[in-house]
Amino acid sequence: MENQLKSEVQQERPPRVVIFPLPAQGHVNSMLKLAELLSLAGINVTFLNTDHLHNLLLRHADVETQFAAYPGFEFKTISDGLPDDHSRSTDSVMEVLNSMNVTTKPVLKEMLVSGVLSNSVTCIIVDGAFTGFATDLAIELDIPIIHFRTVSACCIWNHFCVDRIIEAGGLPIRGKEDMDREITSVPGMECFLRCRDLPSFIQVSDLSDPKLDQIARTTNQSCRANGLILNTFEDLEGPILFHIRTLCPKTYAIGPLHAHLKLKLANNKTDSKRPVSSTSILFEVDTNCLNWLDSQPPKSVIYVSFGSITTLTRNALMEFWHGLVNSNKRFLWVLRPDMVAEDTEVPAELMAATRERGYMVGWAPQEEVLGHHAVGGFLTHSGWNSTLESIVAGVPMICWPYFADQPINSRYVGEVWKLGIDMKDVCDRKIVEKMINDLMVERREEFERSTVEMARLATESVSLGGSSYRNFDQLVDYIRQTGRKNLAK
Ligand code: UDP
């Protein structure tokens, strides 16, 4: 009788998931949203950050208050193996990852077996961008593991297809003049994919480039996981999700995560007043730009932001600035303090025009900005979070992709979803000016139709009964099932 009671109590105990993100702004941000969604669903979550990243997070965001509402939630930290004074800049990401492979793996194993990570871990969700070692560990310790990818499904599918592209002679790329060559060997993308649209890490000129092998190997690790979570939705990337599911049958498309979380929080009566926006880890958010936007006419402003990593040369800065000013449109521009390395003298006429109809900030509350009635267009680097935020807000885009998944995202925005214009790898003041006018004036109605419709589909997907809503329920069911099995061991 006592045993039976004990087992019933155990079975009712919620499962505990360890979430382990890659230590970078966009990755931690998305995985915090996933953590909060799971917490709202009654799953206990241990969020595992590297010490360095966690200190940054505590400095810039009140995450402890945010998660205090969930008694089953806890933060834990782990060393990345690098000395405290290491810069851990974007350029040294490979160094960080290599160090984690060597140092963090044994520490993580020790934490899992010794019970430091709570002795009832029933599932691990890791960032599939870097955690081959966590997958090995989970398999060794017989803990179910799910991969989470923060980039688009169309990017992941390209990474899965590296061998096919090579076999079909699509890679390597032989010089700049080869960039418009079509790549016809990626199922689902036969009609519109060119070399210049491939994710940057596979745009190689030499097949022995170590990036290529690393990307393919890392992505293929997801086939060993028990599931794959993607921040996308069926109406946006359904055809590509179909292909991914031939390799990873349990692929849960639960995005757009920011909209999904916002809706679930709004429906959660106990916590409906908390404002929901992305957590800024690296930068202080300047909300004054919202007051400036308040005084601008509806849909009159082009918002310019290239995300948290992109840098600009002095030349690119000047081309964008002249293009913006010459377009005669109002603009709100995020120029991070670390964005332009070279000293730049700005011509007086640009400064004067900016004072007249522009506003610059170091870091904006982007989701609020995109949702503001004064914003009518977004000049973006096509980062996946920015793309999804723009889609949900129904704002058309001009895409200037920088690296990683951005070239394929921008191709989809321009050619497949028709949600904007793909400027791609040119940076010329005349083109910037023309495209802003095309987006905001000449083709405004065309883009208004497509963006309104896609925004509707995005919201529908995360609403009760929508595809992402249902996929999330299935994910939670799976986590609960694995929890029961584990607790019964
Ligand atoms: N972001 C922001 N304020 C800014 C610029 C960007 O809050 O001034 C946020 C934006 O909302 C998005 C993230 O930073 O959630 C950028 O992610 P994305 O995937 O678009 O690009 P990355 O920074 O990874 O290149």
Side-chain angles (χ1 to χ4, degrees):
M1 182 69 180
E2 197 182 308
N3 273 350
Q4 191 191 341
L5 251 179
K6 197 168 149 196
S7 108
E8 276 170 13
V9 169
Q10 273 192 341
Q11 288 198 6
E12 277 165 23
R13 213 166 55 187
R16 175 162 293 278
V17 174
V18 172
I19 296 189
F20 189 20
L22 186 142
Q25 159 99 23
H27 294 253
V28 173
N29 211 329
S30 302
M31 289 184 92
L32 279 172
K33 292 193 172 98
L34 174 67
E36 191 158 7
L37 274 170
L38 290 173
S39 301
L40 280 167
I43 307 273
N44 288 337
V45 174
T46 301
F47 200 91
L48 185 61
N49 268 328
T50 60
D51 297 303
H52 175 78
L53 199 290
H54 198 62
N55 287 337
L56 284 177
L57 190 59
L58 292 182
R59 198 176 315 152
H60 292 290
D62 194 7
V63 280
E64 287 186 328
T65 309
Q66 177 183 342
F67 282 96
Y70 310 108
F73 180 92
E74 60 181 9
F75 279 113
K76 292 268 179 184
T77 60
I78 193 165
S79 166
D80 60 14
L82 293 170
D84 287 348
D85 59 356
H86 190 286
S87 75
R88 293 164 175 87
S89 65
T90 311
D91 295 342
S92 58
V93 73
M94 284 320 295
E95 202 185 329
V96 176
L97 298 188
N98 289 337
S99 167
M100 288 181 77
N101 253 322
V102 176
T103 319
T104 311
K105 182 178 177 180
V107 180
L108 179 61
K109 181 172 181 180
E110 179 57 25
M111 285 170 104
L112 284 166
V113 286
S114 69
V116 170
L117 273 181
S118 160
N119 48 16
S120 55
V121 172
T122 54
C123 182
I124 302 175
I125 300 181
V126 292
D127 199 317
F130 83 116
T131 39
F133 71 81
T135 311
D136 291 342
L137 263 184
I139 292 171
E140 183 189 330
L141 301 176
D142 197 19
I143 304 173
I145 182 153
I146 301 176
H147 281 195
F148 176 92
R149 296 303 302 260
T150 55
V151 291
S152 55
C154 54
C155 171
I156 299 288
W157 182 233
N158 267 273
H159 290 174
F160 271 128
C161 290
V162 163
D163 285 344
R164 289 181 208 227
I165 302 174
I166 295 172
E167 272 159 34
L171 288 173
I173 299 171
R174 297 188 172 80
K176 278 202 165 145
E177 58 290 349
D178 202 18
M179 291 299 264
D180 280 323
R181 178 164 51 81
E182 287 173 0
I183 301 276
T184 53
S185 48
V186 179
M189 301 186 189
E190 295 89 343
C191 307
F192 55 83
L193 192 66
R194 304 159 303 175
C195 289
R196 67 173 73 253
D197 304 318
L198 291 171
S200 70
F201 300 130
I202 63 177
Q203 285 189 17
V204 295
S205 57
D206 178 353
L207 291 185
S208 63
D209 188 324
K211 281 197 304 275
L212 192 62
D213 181 52
Q214 176 149 11
I215 281 290
R217 256 189 308 125
T218 306
T219 306
N220 283 319
Q221 289 281 335
S222 293
C223 303
R224 300 169 67 213
N226 302 82
L228 174 64
I229 303 172
L230 294 177
N231 185 10
T232 188
F233 57 105
E234 306 284 343
D235 278 317
L236 188 70
E237 294 198 279
I240 294 308
L241 288 166
F242 167 82
H243 289 293
I244 291 178
R245 287 182 178 122
T246 61
L247 302 177
C248 306
K250 275 193 192 305
T251 294
Y252 303 93
I254 62 168
L257 272 176
H258 71 289
H260 202 153
L261 177 60
K262 207 172 273 183
L263 215 65
K264 287 250 162 83
L265 280 172
N267 294 336
N268 176 37
K269 301 206 171 41
T270 55
D271 193 21
S272 56
K273 290 191 188 60
R274 185 169 77 70
V276 193
S277 52
S278 289
T279 309
S280 177
I281 298 165
L282 301 174
F283 310 102
E284 207 71 53
V285 181
D286 180 347
T287 52
N288 289 325
C289 58
L290 295 173
N291 301 332
W292 180 79
L293 282 175
D294 284 344
S295 58
Q296 309 304 318
K299 294 197 192 297
S300 65
V301 174
I302 177 120
Y303 170 59
V304 187
S305 165
F306 302 123
S308 60
I309 300 168
T310 307
T311 55
L312 293 179
T313 59
R314 185 193 308 148
N315 182 51
L317 175 77
M318 281 301 121
E319 293 306 305
F320 278 121
W321 209 329
H322 278 286
L324 279 164
V325 164
N326 294 345
S327 77
N328 273 318
K329 294 284 165 295
R330 298 156 202 256
F331 59 91
L332 167 61
W333 190 354
V334 178
L335 262 187
R336 299 186 329 265
D338 61 342
M339 201 150 170
V340 187
E342 304 148 285
D343 280 342
T344 309
E345 207 171 305
V346 183
E349 74 268 18
L350 288 188
M351 293 305 291
T354 303
R355 272 193 298 277
E356 198 184 298
R357 54 180 181 279
Y359 197 95
M360 288 194 172
V361 280
W363 192 251
Q366 180 162 304
E367 284 175 45
E368 285 93 324
V369 165
L370 286 169
H372 197 285
H373 61 80
V375 172
F378 184 13
L379 173 49
T380 170
H381 70 310
S382 295
W384 188 234
N385 292 305
S386 296
T387 304
L388 287 173
E389 288 159 15
S390 204
I391 286 174
V392 169
V395 175
M397 290 166 260
I398 297 172
C399 305
W400 187 66
Y402 181 67
F403 82 140
D405 59 333
Q406 297 152 20
I408 182 73
N409 299 344
S410 72
R411 186 61 170 165
Y412 266 78
V413 167
E415 193 62 26
V416 182
W417 304 322
K418 314 277 187 204
L419 299 173
I421 308 172
D422 186 9
M423 187 158 87
K424 237 359 170 249
D425 21 36
V426 285
C427 182
D428 173 281
R429 62 189 69 184
K430 286 222 155 53
I431 292 179
V432 172
E433 178 190 342
K434 177 170 180 347
M435 287 191 172
I436 292 174
N437 272 300
D438 280 351
L439 195 83
M440 309 276 286
V441 185
E442 303 296 330
R443 299 175 63 188
R444 182 183 178 136
E445 282 176 18
E446 169 196 336
F447 288 129
E448 196 149 293
R449 277 194 297 277
S450 53
T451 51
V452 165
E453 174 59 7
M454 194 57 95
R456 186 187 68 75
L457 292 171
T459 304
E460 199 175 87
S461 75
V462 294
S463 305
L464 181 67
S467 61
S468 292
Y469 191 101
R470 284 182 279 118
N471 290 344
F472 181 73
D473 278 353
Q474 282 172 18
L475 171 68
V476 170
D477 282 350
Y478 176 74
I479 291 172
R480 286 193 193 288
Q481 275 166 28
T482 59
R484 274 188 216 113
K485 274 191 212 139
N486 254 289
L487 292 169
K489 270 184 199 165

